[in-house]
Amino acid sequence: MPTTAPRVFSGIQPDAPAHIGNYLGAIRNWAREQDRYNNIFCIVDLHSLTLPIDPATLREQRLVLAATLLASGIDPHKSALFLQSDIPAHSELAWILECFTPMGWLERMTQFKERSARLGNERVGTGLFTYPALMAADILLYDTNVVPVGEDQRQHIEYTRDLAKRINQRFGEIFVIPEALIKEAGARIMGLDDPEAKMSKSIAASSPGHAVMIIDSPDDIRRKFARAQTDAEPAVRFPAGPGVTNLLEIYRTVRELGWEQVKEEFAGKPYSELKRGVAEAVIEALRPIQERYREIRQDDAGLRRTLKESAERLAPIANATLTRVQQAVGLR
Ligand code: AMP
Ligand code: TRP
């Protein structure tokens, strides 16, 4: 990896096992493009404290996710993979960024509005509100050029850019301005039980039919697709409703086909055939990942070592940025 290659940074929450939305919208792209960039991937455990989570779950899911990322092709020789909480500069920079973020900017974040509306303002912690400032800290600490994510993160990255520009204007060239990288295919996979809702780990925790997890068994995957919501039509017709469109989107992204090919393949076919087709395509794509996952989980000590080594290599970069900011704002 040449040091002049653009820096990629992306993060993923260890609140629950990753699902196929995470895989198709983010992880698979990260793994495939590793040779083009200088990569940092972060398991954002501090972000996972923004919604209620059991300590044992958080501890275990960090390892599950680390193993899932490695099994999906993230290569520790090409990419850094670390735990956010191992580098305290993330929390320290986040505080400073919060102090430079107008409340109104955070009040407009759709992810916050949706989640706080679902849970009620008296029940969500303030961390859910300031969440984007911690995400901005993640990105800005490493002079990131490119942030590959799914569609749902676009607004958070816009905020990161606006904030970085605001601080640069006031204090000089402190931050590199990052750009979102969002692929057209797979950027927004919807829930199988509710195609109006984005597939999300937090919903999957209470409704297992909502999402197919990367580490689900083939039988579970078949069952979940068999129960996926479609509509009252007997067969696939175009324009298709949201549930059918989502199944077709999963299929075309997994198989890397164009819409025309997929339409031709399934037009007029009964929904049962579409569901079986998608299930088998997903099972086939996940099989090698699941095999590697099981091997990697044989050695949790090695997994922890990989995470620590990355954090040790990255801490000086993060600390240098933090020092630059502290000097600029008058803390040093
Ligand atoms: P999260 O699970 O929220 O930590 O998301 C990790 C990555 O997966 C981010 O880049 C998200 O944009 C992406 N992602 C999450 N859910 C989906 C989805 N339903 N479809 C596509 N990408 C997603
Ligand atoms: N907020 C992101 C999500 O839920 C996760 C995340 C945290 C992230 N920090 C990041 C993504 C930095 C990209 C860059 O999906």
Side-chain angles (χ1 to χ4, degrees), residues 63-101:
L63 287 183
V64 170
L65 189 55
T68 304
L69 293 174
L70 296 176
S72 301
I74 301 299
D75 177 349
H77 300 292
K78 296 179 180 172
S79 301
L81 175 64
F82 77 110
L83 299 176
Q84 187 185 35
S85 62
D86 275 342
I87 302 188
H90 289 249
S91 307
E92 294 179 52
L93 181 59
W95 173 257
I96 297 174
L97 296 181
E98 281 164 38
C99 295
F100 285 90
T101 300

Side-chain angles (χ1 to χ4, degrees), residues 18 22 47 57 64-65 70 74 108 128 150 152 164 219 238 280 286 325:
N22 298 130
H47 277 109
T57 306
V64 170
L65 189 55
L70 296 176
I74 301 299
R108 283 193 285 276
L128 191 69
D152 60 333
D219 282 346
F238 297 98
E280 294 314 315
L286 295 183
V325 178

Side-chain angles (χ1 to χ4, degrees), residues 143 164-177 321 324-325 328:
D143 294 336
K165 286 181 197 161
R166 186 187 172 90
I167 291 176
N168 283 356
Q169 238 157 32
R170 169 116 187 246
F171 298 106
E173 293 302 300
I174 307 279
F175 293 127
V176 171
I177 309 298
T321 309
R324 199 159 80 220
V325 178

Side-chain angles (χ1 to χ4, degrees), residues 141 167 202 274:
L141 275 176
I167 291 176
S202 52
L274 169 63

